[in-house]
Amino acid sequence: MKVLVVGAGAREHAICDALKDDVDLYTYISKKNPGISKISTYHIADESEVNKVAEYAKENNIEIAVIGPEAPLGKGIVDKLEDVGVKCVGPCQSAARIETDKSFMRNLFEKYEIDGSLTYKVFDNTKDLNEFLDSYDKDVVVKPVGLTGGKGVKIVGDHLKDNQEAKEYASEVIDNAMGGFAQVIIEERVIGEEYTIQAFSDGNHLAPMPAAQDHPHAFEGDKGAITGGMGSYSDVEGLLPFLSQENYDKSVKIMEDVITAIRKEAKPYKGILYGQFMLSADGPRLIEFNARFGDPEAMNVLPLISTPMIEVCKGIVDGKLPKVEFKNLASVCKYIVPEGYPETKFAGEVIEVDEEAIERLNAKLFYASVSEEDGNIKLSSSRAMGIVAQGKSISEAEKIAEKACMYVKGNVYHRKDVGTKALVDKRVEHMKEILNN
């Protein structure tokens, strides 16, 4: 079976790795990814030119396409592919609004009375915005309505000093139509521990994956700028040390209710639904949804799938999702980035990557934003690669991942604390404090 994966990052490398042994693999990538190019027939072109992707798929008799990034989903890539007879693992444009239009997502919660929503308001002018924030005495979160690559959200008490700074930033979002909308969402700030649950959806049923926790701050100790993600971990039994089965199940129920609501408002949601939650004193609260795998969280869960990935993809597109099995192991992903990231002076520098040594440790390497020239791997200004390991515990997986990171040499950095006992214990204690207050 000919399968096309769209996207050139580490997330897509992980998808390709999960599929490669069972399909005739094609990829449509914006730049040459050293890992993806080794295991697929690849075509380098702009992934957001969705008509051209559809033409390529038709010319190559592609049967199923798996869409990695959010931008093509927002431009209707699934609709275009389905018009030429290609079935897709990814939601159509109207259903993808669960990510591309955050006000659509919040309105679903309100209309269908779905649990776990936050108090929020949407503004399209600074007058109403300022009046609201002048009278609101709690800390807030400021979010552009549209896509900003995970970097547009700012939180009072973290990135912003107070609600006055929130007003200034929110006005900037409106004035510059950040994310493609001259609108901004103001949400209550919820205190707790964030976690992610991803699920396969055939439009009617969900197959949830192990929960994971991302680490978005650039530097150790959760310091520095918010990034696309510096690493993540998952635990045995699909839970997390601070996340009970009860709260996992409540989170999945929220996702199931949203799938039902999308089916009524748009079309059946076929693809990956990514739920970012905050575990609070009041239980799970939904922060946001993404219409695709997370990056880095995809790298935690995809190597754990026991069910052949192609069987999962067939089930999604045919509306007959199978039971999806996962290995009962923990996993830790650590991102290698240029020194100083997200600000760096080392873009374009060559780094040394000993892929064979990493493989001997039973770790996996997924290339992200690097280039390959004459056999040399060169950094960009963005994340370079994810190193992923599995183990019978988070601690065991972390030690393997940390050792594997040593086989990448150059002006690079990674958060050594991702998945360590000290940082995981800190999360657990934080959750205990919240629940006891």
Side-chain angles (χ1 to χ4, degrees):
M1 172 176 275
K2 288 188 173 183
V3 174
L4 174 69
V5 175
V6 177
R11 166 182 51 214
E12 290 76 30
H13 188 183
I15 294 168
C16 290
D17 184 69
L19 285 165
K20 69 179 191 300
D21 294 333
D22 300 311
V23 305
D24 188 1
L25 186 61
Y26 286 68
T27 52
Y28 200 102
I29 52 181
S30 58
K31 60 182 181 298
K32 185 178 179 182
N33 179 302
I36 292 174
S37 62
K38 287 179 184 176
I39 58 177
S40 69
T41 300
Y42 64 93
H43 177 76
I44 300 176
D46 186 349
E47 302 145 5
S48 66
E49 293 184 356
V50 297
N51 287 317
K52 291 185 178 180
V53 179
E55 288 172 13
Y56 176 82
K58 185 177 180 181
E59 288 168 3
N60 288 279
N61 300 311
I62 299 298
E63 295 168 76
I64 294 177
V66 183
I67 315 304
E70 62 273 24
L73 290 169
K75 292 189 174 183
I77 189 171
V78 169
D79 307 72
K80 297 297 183 184
L81 285 163
E82 289 182 344
D83 283 347
V84 298
V86 179
K87 295 179 178 180
C88 294
V89 177
C92 64
Q93 189 173 30
S94 62
R97 284 186 294 160
I98 198 70
E99 175 172 9
T100 61
D101 182 352
K102 292 181 179 65
S103 59
F104 169 76
M105 182 267 286
R106 288 293 174 204
N107 288 336
L108 281 184
F109 274 77
E110 199 169 291
K111 181 175 180 179
Y112 292 93
E113 299 180 344
I114 299 170
D115 287 340
S117 188
L118 304 176
T119 300
Y120 76 99
K121 285 186 176 293
V122 183
F123 296 96
D124 61 6
N125 66 87
T126 53
K127 179 178 180 294
D128 292 342
L129 165 75
N130 291 340
E131 285 179 0
F132 172 76
L133 284 176
D134 284 340
S135 63
Y136 194 71
D137 60 359
K138 296 179 182 178
D139 289 348
V140 299
V141 179
V142 181
K143 290 184 176 182
V145 168
L147 297 174
T148 56
K151 298 169 187 174
V153 177
K154 293 197 176 183
I155 303 168
V156 171
D158 194 343
H159 321 94
L160 304 169
K161 183 175 69 175
D162 52 28
N163 281 4
Q164 179 59 40
E165 283 196 2
K167 282 200 298 188
E168 295 167 7
Y169 176 61
S171 298
E172 181 185 330
V173 171
I174 294 172
D175 292 343
N176 295 309
M178 194 181 297
F181 294 81
Q183 294 176 305
V184 68
I185 294 176
I186 304 297
E187 292 178 349
E188 65 171 312
R189 183 187 181 191
V190 179
I191 305 299
E193 282 294 329
E194 285 192 28
Y195 60 97
T196 297
I197 297 176
Q198 301 167 102
F200 299 108
S201 171
D202 65 6
N204 292 293
H205 309 98
L206 285 185
M209 306 180 214
Q213 187 175 46
D214 181 25
H215 297 68
H217 289 276
F219 306 124
E220 290 173 14
D222 299 323
K223 306 294 185 184
I226 293 291
T227 70
M230 291 296 293
S232 47
Y233 66 86
S234 68
D235 203 358
V236 295
E237 306 300 334
L239 303 175
L240 293 169
F242 59 83
L243 180 68
S244 67
Q245 185 68 54
E246 180 185 5
N247 284 319
Y248 177 93
D249 292 343
K250 285 181 179 178
S251 306
V252 172
K253 178 63 166 61
I254 291 168
M255 298 172 77
E256 290 172 340
D257 289 345
V258 166
I259 288 293
T260 299
I262 293 174
R263 190 168 65 246
K264 293 176 180 177
E265 292 290 317
K267 291 182 179 179
Y269 187 102
K270 294 188 174 187
I272 315 303
L273 183 65
Y274 168 114
Q276 183 183 18
F277 293 90
M278 182 78 78
L279 185 58
S280 71
D282 298 320
R285 307 287 293 279
L286 190 282
I287 304 300
E288 66 180 11
F289 279 120
N290 291 332
R292 35 71 190 182
F293 274 115
D295 185 346
E297 297 97 329
M299 292 181 273
N300 291 102
V301 299
L302 283 167
L304 292 174
I305 294 179
S306 301
T307 307
M309 183 64 174
I310 186 56
E311 297 304 319
V312 179
C313 293
K314 287 178 184 176
I316 289 170
V317 300
D318 293 337
K320 298 176 182 177
L321 190 64
K323 184 178 180 182
V324 184
E325 303 281 355
F326 295 88
K327 300 170 190 171
N328 191 27
L329 295 171
S331 70
V332 171
C333 173
K334 301 196 180 199
Y335 245 120
I336 306 284
V337 302
E339 190 72 52
Y341 172 79
E343 303 293 331
T344 182
K345 60 182 181 181
F346 298 111
E349 285 201 2
V350 174
I351 58 173
E352 295 178 28
V353 184
D354 191 338
E355 294 182 15
E356 292 180 358
I358 292 170
E359 189 175 337
R360 284 196 297 271
L361 290 170
N362 288 322
K364 284 182 173 287
L365 180 158
F366 296 117
Y367 283 106
S369 188
V370 295
S371 59
E372 184 180 21
E373 297 176 24
D374 302 321
N376 292 319
I377 305 297
K378 291 186 175 182
L379 295 170
S380 72
S381 59
S382 191
R383 298 178 297 175
M385 66 197 71
I387 303 288
V388 186
Q390 301 172 356
K392 294 178 181 178
S393 66
I394 296 170
S395 181
E396 182 180 306
E398 187 278 328
K399 289 179 172 62
I400 297 169
E402 185 61 31
K403 190 172 182 180
C405 287
M406 298 301 102
Y407 290 103
V408 182
K409 300 186 183 301
N411 285 308
V412 292
Y413 164 81
H414 70 278
R415 279 189 58 171
K416 293 182 172 65
D417 61 346
V418 173
T420 58
K421 185 177 186 301
L423 195 59
V424 173
D425 286 350
K426 178 182 172 184
R427 302 281 195 262
V428 173
E429 289 305 312
H430 180 226
M431 201 64 239
K432 286 179 180 177
E433 289 174 15
I434 291 168
L435 294 175
N436 290 332
N437 281 343

